[in-house]
Amino acid sequence: MPARTIIEPFRIKSVEPIRWTTRADRERLLAAADYNLFLLPADDVLIDLLTDSGTGAMSTHQWAALVEGDESYAGSRSFDHFRDSIDQIFGYRHVIPTHQGRAAERILFSVMCKKGDVVPNNTHFDTTRANIEFVGANAIDLLIEEGKQPSTVHPFKGNMDIEALESLLRRVGRDKVPLVMLTITNNSGGGQPVSMENIRQVSAICRQHRVPLYFDACRFAENAYFIKGREPGYQSKSPKQIAQEIFRYGDGCTMSAKKDGMANIGGFLCTNDDTLARQEKDLLILTEGYPTYGGLAGRDLEAIAVGLQEALEEDYLRYRIASTAYLGDHISREGVPIVQPPGGHAIYLDARGFLPHIPPEQFPGVALAAELYLEGGIRSVEIGTLMFAAAATMDLVRLAIPRRVYTQSHIDYVVEVILEVWKNRDHIRGLQLTYEAPFLRHFTARLAPLGVAFAQHT
Ligand SMILES: Cc1ncc(COP(=O)(O)O)c(C=O)c1O
């Protein structure tokens, strides 16, 4: 009989100690960080689920490739490895390296968008939205209704609402829509996948209106694995074949290699359009670097070249998706409200369901994230009213699982902490803002518990 336990498909060769703190320590540390977990020193966190971005463990093959890094300013051999690896999967004509995903976004939107334009997406990630708004364009989310209801189970909750896309294109006209984006998987909407059928439909509409389709491809391998498991006709295809098919429906992509690139830094921008590529490379030289390194070291390019292929290995993806679901299933069966079904890279607690006594304007997600830290030294992140202000349709707390970093016993500990907080949820209080930046305010916001005197920050 095949074993039912899905084990970590690796052995551990190098360990990094983590540090315990007491509850009294954490109360002091949290107050010093003004209730914003971004402002905590990482050494004071026991289990860090703030993000899966750049926090993964590299493989022996990646470390070996790092040493092969060619640090030549122009024409580096490592760029050839990087481009060839990307080419095998994505297949776009131009590959432009960037230091991370948002640099690719900034370049793409600076070149393609102008004031008053509209960019539809299933759900824009925070940096994507901010970069679109920064050039004066409007970022519009067109997620299917099922994707907006945390408890509704649907195999592809990241799908775009096809009718809404059609009607938006008719209403505003293709001249105002320089591109359509699809985020795979949909991070801000629960790490939920987009189906191949939806990708095909979105692509057909885009082609009909002669609007290019770009993927926000950060978690393309996880999305491909969900398609394999859930969509008829894909069971016998490899994740790589599925990824190749996805990208054939588009005209380019932005990518943060800190996710399914399995690297600690890096990203890229791809396009099939020669004119755009020229403009993008000019801008790249101005702010990121020469087009064969784009703000990265040669060794980073090597690590990404290997990582992209490893992210598509089936044993890895089986373990990855199963271990995220393990966390989700163990808390939801005790009644904890989460975005269902569990996503690829993270579990999202539904803070409005968890803390119904705290209204959105008192940041229930931030309050819940603070309590998880106080209870067990776990760091998570709010994706809700603090992050998106009035655009927030949900208040979620994301527990993102770094790739190949934590074992099942770490996750069992996380389950215990969440269930303890769930038991005592009635005592959790809301918060108020004491400082906010003009954009991406969640990174630097300062807050205080309601009903407690606080010093105003200037
Ligand atoms: C869907 C999505 N798009 C874009 C980005 C931005 O990538 P980076 O953090 O590398 O700038 C992220 C990062 O978390 C993301 O999840």
Side-chain angles (χ1 to χ4, degrees), residues 16 18 76 164 174 193 227 245 247 261 321 336 384 411-412 417 433:
E16 184 181 6
I18 51 178
S76 155
R174 67 169 288 269
I227 289 176
E245 181 178 340
F247 294 121
I321 301 302
V336 175
I411 300 299
D412 285 333
V417 171
L433 268 172

Side-chain angles (χ1 to χ4, degrees), residues 100-102 105 125 127 183 187 216 218-219 256 258-259:
Q100 60 183 91
R102 69 197 68 184
E105 292 166 359
F125 184 64
T127 58
T183 303
N187 185 4
D216 178 341
C218 296
R219 299 176 181 84
S256 169
K258 300 171 74 173
K259 285 85 173 177

Side-chain angles (χ1 to χ4, degrees), residues 115-166:
K115 199 163 188 284
D117 280 348
V118 172
V119 182
N121 200 332
N122 45 356
T123 310
H124 290 277
F125 184 64
D126 60 352
T127 58
T128 322
R129 170 174 289 279
N131 273 297
I132 290 169
E133 290 173 353
F134 194 70
V135 296
N138 302 304
I140 308 282
D141 293 340
L142 299 178
L143 190 63
I144 55 166
E145 275 313 308
E146 291 89 333
K148 296 176 198 162
Q149 283 131 28
S151 59
T152 304
V153 177
H154 182 287
F156 292 104
K157 282 176 93 171
N159 282 355
M160 184 176 268
D161 182 333
I162 300 295
E163 278 171 26
L165 176 64
E166 282 266 30

Side-chain angles (χ1 to χ4, degrees), residues 103-117:
E105 292 166 359
R106 190 187 63 78
I107 291 171
L108 178 71
F109 302 133
S110 303
V111 168
M112 291 192 83
C113 300
K114 56 182 189 318
K115 199 163 188 284
D117 280 348

Side-chain angles (χ1 to χ4, degrees), residues 274-450:
D274 298 343
T275 311
L276 281 179
R278 219 173 10 253
Q279 294 169 349
E280 287 163 358
K281 284 181 198 171
D282 287 346
L283 202 51
L284 185 84
I285 292 172
L286 190 67
T287 58
E288 290 274 305
Y290 194 71
T292 57
Y293 74 87
L296 295 170
R299 53 179 168 272
D300 299 325
L301 299 170
E302 294 283 356
I304 295 166
V306 176
L308 286 167
Q309 304 297 328
E310 289 182 352
L312 286 166
E313 281 170 11
E314 214 159 317
D315 281 352
Y316 161 72
L317 282 168
R318 185 181 306 110
Y319 137 80
R320 171 81 178 148
I321 301 302
S323 55
T324 304
Y326 178 93
L327 170 58
D329 294 345
H330 279 73
I331 55 176
S332 67
R333 73 181 184 206
E334 299 299 325
V336 175
I338 66 166
V339 173
Q340 291 285 9
H345 66 296
I347 291 302
Y348 295 68
L349 306 178
D350 171 12
R352 289 187 193 174
F354 202 115
L355 303 173
H357 58 287
I358 303 182
E361 61 274 17
Q362 294 177 12
F363 308 109
V366 184
L368 179 53
E371 200 56 35
L372 294 176
Y373 177 68
L374 288 176
E375 181 63 35
I378 296 167
R379 177 154 69 170
S380 53
V381 70
E382 185 247 24
I383 298 193
T385 305
L386 182 62
M387 188 178 274
F388 292 121
T393 52
M394 301 187 258
D395 275 283
L396 305 176
V397 171
R398 187 186 69 181
L399 303 152
I401 321 279
R403 293 169 180 76
R404 306 187 290 206
V405 169
Y406 293 115
T407 62
Q408 188 170 324
S409 61
H410 289 114
I411 300 299
D412 285 333
Y413 170 83
V414 173
V415 169
E416 275 173 36
V417 171
I418 294 170
L419 295 182
E420 193 59 29
V421 171
W422 174 240
K423 215 165 63 194
N424 300 315
R425 61 193 180 277
D426 294 345
H427 303 293
I428 301 174
R429 280 179 303 169
L431 296 143
Q432 61 190 327
L433 268 172
T434 61
Y435 166 76
E436 63 178 311
F439 44 83
L440 293 175
R441 66 179 183 175
H442 51 291
F443 287 118
T444 52
R446 295 178 184 276
L447 301 105
L450 274 166

Side-chain angles (χ1 to χ4, degrees), residues 68-70 76-83 298-299 301-302:
E68 295 282 351
D70 172 1
S76 155
R77 185 181 60 240
S78 298
F79 176 72
D80 295 343
H81 296 162
F82 175 80
R83 188 203 43 222
R299 53 179 168 272
L301 299 170
E302 294 283 356

